[in-house]
Amino acid sequence: MHRLLLLACLWLLAAPPASSIFQRPTGTPAPLHLQYLLEPLHPTVHTQRGATATLPCVLRTLPHNYRVKWSKVEPTNYRENIIIITNGLYHKNYGPLSPRVRLRHSHRYDASLTITDVALEDEGRYRCQLVNGLEDESISLTLHLEGIVFPYQPSNGRYKFNYHEAKRACEQQDSRLATYQQLYKAWTEGLDWCNAGWILDGTVHYPIINSREPCGGRLLLPGVRTYGARDKQKDRFDAFCFTSALQGQVYFIRGHLNFKEAGQACRSHGAAIAKVGQLYSAWKFSQLDRCDGGWLADGSVRYPITIPRERCGGLPDPGVRSFGFPSKEMRTYGTYCFV
């Protein structure tokens, strides 16, 4: 009996301590545990252009001499731009978002960021960072705008834009260059386009639903095909633009108008001739459905179809149809106005 007790004691002395039995293998990083910040329930906040959105950031306790810093990660240069810094009592705003941001402060632990009159360029990834000496912590959140991606090319044909011209062209049509996430989502929703176009990060892609010979061949699987990063100054492609909900209304004026008369007709109603992005937005969010071709601000003629029918182009899917860029002297079409 004594011999058995002695052997048991020797085994216990030789065994590793209980805590080390369950230690992580060497080289395995420990999971990050937030000490001061609460993990957000929903890391993505959905909104539309013109709305007010709040990105949650709540402290579980208030450390001494702390600061909270909000910043936005820009996809074009992967830099973080500071938006606001607070110490709980005072705050300071920074950058172009400054006039439209504030801290929610619904209670003393609340450092959530509220953005008013959300703009297209507000979409993206944000970071709430607690600065507390050596114990800095941060959470990431994504602001997602509901919207639509559309391909765009100028009147002189395809593959005419360098990156900077594509960016400017989208902005002129009440939109901005799409992100890869926006283009990918548009592809999952049915965007099928054979021409390659710039997106916001300077890469070039095209989305294919129906594989076919002119678009990489029948053997390639459907997907978002990529050309990768290209020379922003020298290389030329189309553009993929993104727009969201309108703060206004698009409507149609009948007539046999040339381009100049179309603009005058809109102005006589206290409106402006609609831009391409505005027509896409009205089709997407207001279900605008007309079988009539109408002039738009870029000199193109288009019409939005929500309910496909034989006499309106005959295509089986909803969409914004295009007659291209006819002569601006042609008196065949009405006009789409925005007010």
Side-chain angles (χ1 to χ4, degrees):
M1 185 70 176
H2 292 292
R3 187 180 183 83
L4 289 173
L5 288 172
L6 179 62
L7 289 171
C9 291
L10 289 172
W11 182 85
L12 286 171
L13 289 171
S19 62
S20 69
I21 294 174
F22 301 102
Q23 281 182 347
R24 230 172 255 100
T26 304
T28 303
L32 294 176
H33 294 291
L34 294 173
Q35 182 179 355
Y36 296 107
L37 297 176
L38 291 176
E39 193 73 41
L41 285 175
H42 303 288
T44 299
V45 175
H46 297 266
T47 188
Q48 293 181 350
R49 178 168 55 175
T52 296
T54 297
L55 298 167
C57 185
V58 178
L59 284 68
R60 66 175 83 236
T61 185
L62 300 178
H64 294 292
N65 301 320
Y66 77 96
R67 290 179 299 155
V68 170
K69 179 175 72 173
W70 275 99
S71 56
K72 185 172 187 287
V73 181
E74 297 298 342
T76 50
N77 53 22
Y78 302 103
R79 295 181 59 185
E80 290 195 15
N81 293 331
I82 297 174
I83 299 170
I84 195 167
I85 296 178
T86 180
N87 64 359
L89 296 175
Y90 306 100
H91 69 272
K92 185 174 181 180
N93 294 15
Y94 297 86
L97 266 173
S98 179
R100 296 189 289 112
V101 296
R102 57 180 171 82
L103 294 169
R104 184 173 62 180
H105 266 330
S106 58
H107 51 79
R108 66 195 188 105
Y109 299 103
D110 186 13
S112 302
L113 182 74
T114 295
I115 305 174
T116 60
D117 193 18
V118 170
L120 294 176
E121 59 269 20
D122 296 344
E123 171 151 314
R125 189 158 65 90
Y126 291 76
R127 190 158 79 110
C128 176
Q129 181 182 14
L130 176 78
V131 182
N132 182 36
L134 298 177
E135 298 182 283
D136 293 0
E137 298 177 358
S138 67
I139 58 172
S140 290
L141 301 111
T142 299
L143 186 67
H144 172 75
L145 269 70
E146 300 295 336
I148 182 171
V149 172
F150 62 93
Y152 188 75
Q153 58 183 222
S155 59
N156 58 341
R158 72 173 197 158
Y159 294 176
K160 301 296 182 182
F161 294 135
N162 67 24
Y163 172 82
H164 307 287
E165 291 164 345
K167 185 173 182 291
R168 187 162 54 248
C170 288
E171 291 166 355
Q172 289 170 348
Q173 297 309 314
D174 193 50
S175 58
R176 73 189 297 243
L177 278 175
T179 64
Y180 182 81
Q181 289 78 10
Q182 290 165 344
L183 181 63
Y184 184 87
K185 183 173 184 289
W187 169 70
T188 65
E189 295 172 349
L191 181 60
D192 182 89
W193 197 254
C194 206
N195 293 349
W198 294 101
I199 63 172
L200 187 61
D201 64 2
T203 57
V204 175
H205 309 267
Y206 64 103
I208 293 297
I209 298 289
N210 302 306
S211 299
R212 50 204 186 272
E213 286 304 328
C215 308
R218 297 180 184 276
L219 298 180
L220 283 180
L221 293 174
V224 179
R225 313 267 174 79
T226 179
Y227 287 8
R230 311 298 289 192
D231 189 309
K232 291 183 178 181
Q233 197 65 42
K234 296 179 181 178
D235 290 327
R236 295 188 173 271
F237 297 95
D238 291 346
F240 286 105
C241 305
F242 172 83
T243 192
S244 185
L246 284 174
Q247 293 180 285
Q249 178 188 6
V250 173
Y251 63 93
F252 182 74
I253 294 179
R254 290 183 177 275
H256 297 281
L257 310 169
N258 63 29
F259 178 71
K260 183 177 180 180
E261 292 165 345
Q264 291 170 343
C266 291
R267 288 191 294 273
S268 69
H269 285 75
I273 189 168
K275 299 176 180 180
V276 177
Q278 291 167 342
L279 185 66
Y280 270 95
S281 180
W283 169 73
K284 171 76 172 179
F285 292 100
S286 303
Q287 289 74 54
L288 183 63
D289 183 281
R290 287 207 67 103
C291 211
D292 306 281
W295 292 103
L296 295 176
D298 66 341
S300 65
V301 172
R302 305 173 196 250
Y303 62 101
I305 295 296
T306 302
I307 303 171
R309 45 211 187 269
E310 188 63 34
R311 65 184 184 86
C312 298
L315 295 176
D317 300 316
V320 174
R321 319 277 196 242
S322 174
F323 287 119
F325 294 84
S327 168
K328 291 184 176 180
E329 300 304 317
M330 186 180 291
R331 285 190 171 91
T332 306
Y333 308 105
T335 184
Y336 288 96
C337 305
F338 172 74
V339 64

